[in-house]
Amino acid sequence: NAGVTQTPKFQVLKTGQSMTLQCAQDMNHEYMSWYRQDPGMGLRLIHYSVGAGITDQGEVPNGYNVSRSTTEDFPLRLLSAAPSQTSVYFCASSSRGADTQYFGPGTRLTVL
Amino acid sequence: AQSVTQPDIHITVSEGASLELRCNYSYGATPYLFWYVQSPGQGLQLLLKYFSGDTLVQGIKGFEAEFKRSQSSFNLRKPSVHWSDAAEYFCAVGALTGGGNKLTFGTGTQLKVEL
């Protein structure tokens, strides 16, 4: 199993550009989530999904969109990037319920 | 809403010394508690977790943590630190929401190991 994969590993955007961060898992997990990590702030939840077709907002959802059309994939979209979105983004997945979340390797995004 | 406090931003210990990283949580029900470790430029790896039962939890790499409900704490310990333990450590509390487990993380403790 590859576990949780994320692409790209690094990305530089200009303010106002859009892009999609990809996340995929091959563990048949129903629960998937996106976090951003900023220095001194730990990880903060952006959006999460409890199954295909079901998504909800986390702690810091503004500026981000998600959808979940399949169990395997959970892309994160930035419609109009801002410098405040410069961060490291992690995707995670788990089985339903109070189970361990498995994290991807992260995407380091810089918005100029 | 749940919250997690890791009061120590940086900790330095000598190799071979014991280690304790502090974690305090706030949550209205029985918490699901986790410790993750992150090496530089890497993702997060689970060290251990507490869901219920025995309050002393054993994890990987020789780490253990003790859940103390009266103190709202879940401190991480290791009897003898190795240089390879240098990393950032995150405590997290999970809340079941609509079938998923939403994690709230602390701000992390950066561990430096002196040789």
Side-chain angles (χ1 to χ4, degrees), chain B residues 94-113:
Chain B
L96 286 179
T97 303
N101 187 17
K102 292 173 63 177
L103 291 182
T104 298
F105 284 85
T107 52
T109 297
Q110 187 73 46
L111 174 66
K112 180 180 176 182
V113 180

Side-chain angles (χ1 to χ4, degrees), chain A residues 2-7 22-26 34 91 103-105:
Chain A
V4 180
T5 58
Q6 293 183 238
T7 56
Q22 301 292 345
C23 174
Q25 53 91 9
D26 61 0
W34 278 101
C91 178
F103 284 79

Side-chain angles (χ1 to χ4, degrees), chain A residues 20-23 32 34 65-69 73-77:
Chain A
T20 299
L21 279 63
Q22 301 292 345
C23 174
M32 295 185 74
W34 278 101
N65 280 353
V66 293
S67 60
R68 182 102 177 266
S69 57
D73 301 296
F74 190 43
L76 179 71
R77 297 182 185 85

Side-chain angles (χ1 to χ4, degrees), chain A residues 16-77:
Chain A
Q17 287 185 317
S18 63
M19 80 158 296
T20 299
L21 279 63
Q22 301 292 345
C23 174
Q25 53 91 9
D26 61 0
M27 297 174 281
N28 202 32
H29 286 163
E30 294 191 40
Y31 183 84
M32 295 185 74
S33 53
W34 278 101
Y35 297 85
R36 59 177 289 172
Q37 182 179 26
D38 302 292
M41 303 191 74
L43 282 81
R44 293 178 292 168
L45 182 64
I46 305 171
H47 285 285
Y48 66 98
S49 169
V50 298
I54 306 170
T55 64
D56 204 348
Q57 297 180 348
E59 179 185 356
V60 288
N62 292 341
Y64 308 95
N65 280 353
V66 293
S67 60
R68 182 102 177 266
S69 57
T70 67
T71 299
E72 294 78 19
D73 301 296
F74 190 43
L76 179 71
R77 297 182 185 85

Side-chain angles (χ1 to χ4, degrees), chain B:
Chain B
Q2 65 267 31
S3 65
V4 175
T5 301
Q6 293 181 249
D8 303 305
I9 300 174
H10 299 280
I11 282 185
T12 300
V13 299
S14 299
E15 190 175 34
S18 63
L19 171 70
E20 183 170 29
L21 302 182
R22 295 183 290 166
C23 172
N24 292 96
Y25 68 90
S26 174
Y27 186 59
T30 300
Y32 303 102
L33 296 162
F34 305 81
W35 274 100
Y36 284 87
V37 61
Q38 184 181 33
S39 298
Q42 303 296 313
L44 277 73
Q45 180 183 22
L46 180 72
L47 284 177
L48 47 78
K49 61 187 179 185
Y50 171 79
F51 285 176
S52 64
D54 193 347
T55 56
L56 185 62
V57 180
Q58 301 298 320
I60 63 171
K61 303 184 180 185
F63 286 92
E64 67 178 26
E66 186 171 12
F67 170 59
K68 293 185 177 180
R69 184 186 300 275
S70 62
Q71 299 177 19
S72 297
S73 69
F74 189 56
N75 294 348
L76 182 71
R77 301 193 295 249
K78 187 170 185 179
S80 178
V81 170
H82 189 262
W83 63 266
S84 60
D85 293 324
E88 189 157 23
Y89 292 79
F90 292 94
C91 181
V93 61
L96 286 179
T97 303
N101 187 17
K102 292 173 63 177
L103 291 182
T104 298
F105 284 85
T107 52
T109 297
Q110 187 73 46
L111 174 66
K112 180 180 176 182
V113 180
E114 290 183 332
L115 301 177

